[in-house]
Amino acid sequence: MFRFEGLEVWKRSIKITDEIFDIAEGSGSNSKKEFKQYLNHSHRSIFETVNMLIIACRRKYIDEKIKDGLKNKLEEISKMISGFSRSLQPKTLRSSL
């Protein structure tokens, strides 16, 4: 098993879409700093995805209920990515935040 397959954040995000997250690729990074960059990219992708959901709803491709459900799931994953990213920071830096 690869490292990313054990990550709960990866498991949840793959259920929503296989297009927006780079967590799996980033888990193969050689350093925490590089992996954090991938997590940051994934986090930003969530915002873009929510924007696309809003547009899809406005254009009547999806209804309000589907949009809201997906937004809630994305918000939860966003929080997980933020927490996971913070856990990669050195303890001294985390305690000062």
Side-chain angles (χ1 to χ4, degrees):
M1 174 160 79
F2 293 99
R3 185 170 103 180
F4 70 88
E5 291 176 293
L7 299 174
E8 184 63 26
V9 67
W10 179 82
K11 291 175 187 177
R12 290 188 184 194
S13 65
I14 199 70
K15 290 178 184 177
I16 291 180
T17 181
D18 60 356
E19 297 179 2
I20 59 171
F21 295 99
D22 286 37
I23 292 170
E25 181 182 351
S27 71
S29 301
N30 293 324
S31 69
K32 285 184 179 181
K33 181 179 179 180
E34 186 180 1
F35 187 31
K36 280 186 59 153
Q37 290 173 339
Y38 279 94
L39 291 174
N40 184 42
H41 178 74
S42 297
H43 198 246
R44 288 179 293 156
S45 294
I46 289 173
F47 298 122
E48 182 62 25
T49 302
V50 170
N51 184 59
M52 290 185 287
L53 286 172
I54 293 167
I55 292 168
C57 186
R58 289 177 68 163
R59 293 182 180 186
K60 308 291 188 221
Y61 299 151
I62 60 173
D63 65 28
E64 197 77 31
K65 185 176 178 180
I66 291 172
K67 178 196 72 160
D68 291 343
L70 290 171
K71 278 179 65 178
N72 289 338
K73 289 177 182 181
L74 288 167
E75 184 174 3
E76 185 177 327
I77 291 171
S78 174
K79 290 176 183 177
M80 291 176 73
I81 290 172
S82 293
F84 187 45
S85 183
R86 279 193 305 274
S87 77
L88 297 174
Q89 293 176 346
K91 288 183 181 184
T92 54
L93 185 58
R94 272 188 278 165
S95 62
S96 66
L97 296 177

